[in-house]
Amino acid sequence: MKICFISRFYKPHVRGGAEIYVGRIAENLVERGHEVIVITPAPGKENYIDHINNVRVYRIFPFNLSTAYDARELTLFRKLIYHLLDTFNLDAYIKIKNILKKERPDLVHINNYKGLSASVFKAVKDLKIPLVFTAHDFCPVCVRTNLLNSKGNICKNPRFICKIYKRLQKASINGKPDLCTAPSQFLIDELRANGFFNDNMVLLRNPVESLSKRIKKTYDKIDLLYVGALSKHKGTDVLIRAFRELENDNIRLHIVGRGPDENKLKALHGDDERIIFHGFLEGEELSGMYGKANVTVVPSVWYENSPMVVYESFAHSTPVIGSNIGGIPELITEGYNGFLFEPGDKDELKGVLKRLLEDPSILKEFEKNAHESAKKYTIKEHLDKLERIYRGLL
């Protein structure tokens, strides 16, 4: 089978869980004997072809004021023009259609499409190629993709321009995919509530490379781990403020990631030597952090879909404390493989952390359960399901 993935970013330019997912699935499908190509925005304004681990990668620059990588740096007015062109980009449509005509894939699997625009759906269907779409965020509903307003709070009353954006997305996307998948029921329900993909969405959890053996932890010091973007909607500030109020030297907080609020968060941590910023880590370095951690904390204050950090943490026998929001509670079972707390509630989070400090033995049972939880999300099972979906459409 020849499969074409379309993704906003692709390795080595990784910015989130969606790109990790696409890279992992693409390479595993190659190992299973499939031919895989990827179409993704170029980091610059030149079109070129890459080859990464037997995957052919087309990097294209659709005409716009900026690349997908630099759009955040635009002024407000230029950003508005960028997003208008990114709603339906004719240049992206032509370039992608030409690549598909040349490559003639059996099936196209679209993931995040920002930076290429919703024109990718029309390019595929105009060539009558079977199409799968995986929703990783709220892109069809929200131009910011995260359902947050300009102040970084959950959007309750979308502005007029946002309503227009959603109508344009519906016109461009609805009816095009033969099947849609999403890794959380929360995201499926949210998209359906907004009139997207009502009849053809299926739940397909994210995959993880589960470790064969449980990792034995030590408790001389309790190591907390945060992995993710350093930005307001991730709630990292809530975690730091809760942590700083713990008067205990037997605990450390490791923060892995980078983002626009990094300097603010470093200022917030003050002179607390128990808080350590590691920057962006991946591969064995990141795996080592998961393995050493006693608990991973996911303090998001936005509607997380199905964060990879929870899956990765479980795979390393590490329980998770997470916000009770979005798709997070679909993965964390209270008192089994972790704890839940109300998003943004510093005092409740502090209470959970204090409980673990007072009785670290709780973690031993949680670690076993976290490892068992990861077994439900193996990449083998995910690929088997995905191949059945693909074959069902051919």
Side-chain angles (χ1 to χ4, degrees):
M1 196 184 314
K2 187 173 185 178
I3 304 155
C4 172
F5 282 93
I6 294 177
S7 177
R8 182 182 186 184
F9 301 116
Y10 191 76
K11 61 194 310 185
H13 309 289
V14 173
R15 292 198 174 184
E19 299 88 66
I20 295 172
Y21 169 83
V22 175
R24 183 176 292 163
I25 295 302
E27 291 180 4
N28 273 274
L29 286 171
V30 168
E31 289 180 6
R32 288 190 171 206
H34 302 287
E35 183 179 354
V36 178
I37 65 169
V38 172
I39 302 174
T40 185
K45 295 187 177 182
E46 299 293 329
N47 305 315
Y48 64 98
I49 300 175
D50 238 346
H51 291 87
I52 302 175
N53 296 332
N54 297 313
V55 175
R56 189 159 56 257
V57 184
Y58 286 84
R59 302 191 189 271
I60 66 172
F61 172 66
F63 174 77
N64 209 321
L65 297 184
S66 167
T67 69
Y69 296 81
D70 304 319
R72 291 178 181 174
E73 309 303 320
L74 296 173
T75 62
L76 183 60
F77 178 71
R78 289 171 66 84
K79 193 177 291 185
L80 177 61
I81 296 174
Y82 171 86
H83 284 303
L84 286 172
L85 290 172
D86 194 46
T87 301
F88 191 96
N89 191 303
L90 182 60
D91 190 44
Y93 168 83
I94 293 170
K95 287 175 177 173
I96 290 172
K97 194 173 180 180
N98 286 337
I99 293 171
L100 294 177
K101 282 181 178 178
K102 171 187 171 184
E103 291 287 350
R104 300 174 63 85
D106 298 305
L107 179 140
V108 174
H109 188 163
I110 296 175
N111 288 264
N112 286 355
Y113 57 90
K114 299 290 284 185
L116 295 171
S117 87
S119 67
V120 300
F121 291 87
K122 180 173 172 56
V124 177
K125 294 318 292 182
D126 281 356
L127 295 174
K128 297 181 171 54
I129 302 172
L131 173 60
V132 175
F133 170 57
T134 292
H136 294 278
D137 54 32
F138 306 97
C139 181
V141 178
C142 172
V143 68
R144 287 192 172 92
T145 75
N146 53 22
L147 296 185
L148 298 176
N149 59 28
S150 57
K151 296 181 179 179
N153 301 317
I154 291 174
C155 182
K156 301 294 185 182
N157 298 298
R159 294 176 297 177
F160 177 74
I161 190 69
C162 297
K163 294 177 180 178
I164 294 297
Y165 168 83
K166 186 168 72 172
R167 289 179 184 176
L168 291 172
Q169 293 294 294
K170 280 185 182 179
S172 300
I173 297 174
N174 267 1
K176 301 291 195 308
D178 296 288
L179 187 76
C180 306
T181 76
S184 76
Q185 189 60 45
F186 179 86
L187 179 55
I188 290 174
D189 293 342
E190 193 68 26
L191 290 173
R192 283 176 173 165
N194 282 276
F196 287 88
F197 318 123
N198 287 324
D199 300 323
N200 63 342
M201 288 203 80
V202 298
L203 178 66
L204 185 62
R205 299 286 188 199
N206 286 325
V208 68
E209 304 259 6
S210 185
L211 303 183
S212 58
K213 291 183 179 181
R214 278 178 56 196
I215 297 176
K216 292 183 179 181
K217 311 283 185 173
T218 60
Y219 307 95
D220 297 333
K221 280 189 179 290
I222 301 300
D223 286 295
L224 307 181
L225 176 64
Y226 170 86
V227 178
L230 303 184
S231 54
K232 182 180 177 180
H233 67 284
K234 288 291 189 177
T236 325
D237 62 316
V238 179
L239 171 58
I240 292 175
R241 286 188 285 112
F243 180 87
R244 290 206 64 185
E245 292 185 11
L246 296 171
E247 297 178 357
N248 192 309
D249 292 330
N250 198 42
I251 188 170
R252 291 177 295 201
L253 172 58
H254 302 271
I255 297 176
V256 176
R258 59 191 176 205
D261 289 348
E262 184 170 350
N263 290 334
K264 290 180 182 178
L265 294 171
K266 286 181 176 178
L268 183 61
H269 112 286
D271 58 355
D272 194 330
E273 295 181 354
R274 302 171 302 166
I275 303 175
I276 307 156
F277 286 82
H278 296 270
F280 179 79
L281 300 178
E282 58 184 339
E284 291 184 5
E285 284 186 306
L286 180 56
S287 180
M289 294 298 296
Y290 278 122
K292 183 175 70 172
N294 297 106
V295 181
T296 300
V297 185
V298 184
S300 297
V301 294
W302 75 295
Y303 294 127
E304 285 275 11
N305 176 13
S306 194
M308 283 300 302
V309 62
V310 178
Y311 297 89
E312 299 284 0
S313 186
F314 286 166
H316 290 79
S317 310
T318 306
V320 179
I321 300 171
S323 297
N324 190 13
I325 192 170
I328 294 174
E330 296 178 28
L331 302 175
I332 300 172
T333 303
E334 177 79 15
Y336 175 74
N337 53 19
F339 289 112
L340 295 166
F341 70 98
E342 285 305 302
D345 193 328
K346 168 184 68 71
D347 292 331
E348 187 178 1
L349 174 56
K350 182 178 74 173
V352 174
L353 296 176
K354 190 174 181 181
R355 178 179 172 185
L356 294 179
L357 277 172
E358 291 171 351
D359 186 10
S361 65
I362 297 172
L363 294 171
K364 291 184 180 180
E365 186 68 19
F366 279 17
E367 288 161 10
K368 181 184 74 173
N369 297 337
H371 188 260
E372 287 299 311
S373 298
K375 292 179 180 178
K376 297 185 292 185
Y377 312 120
T378 65
I379 195 160
K380 179 185 182 304
E381 182 179 341
H382 184 93
L383 288 165
D384 289 344
K385 291 178 180 178
L386 203 53
E387 284 181 321
R388 287 196 294 272
I389 288 172
Y390 290 167
R391 291 192 179 101
L393 296 178
L394 296 180

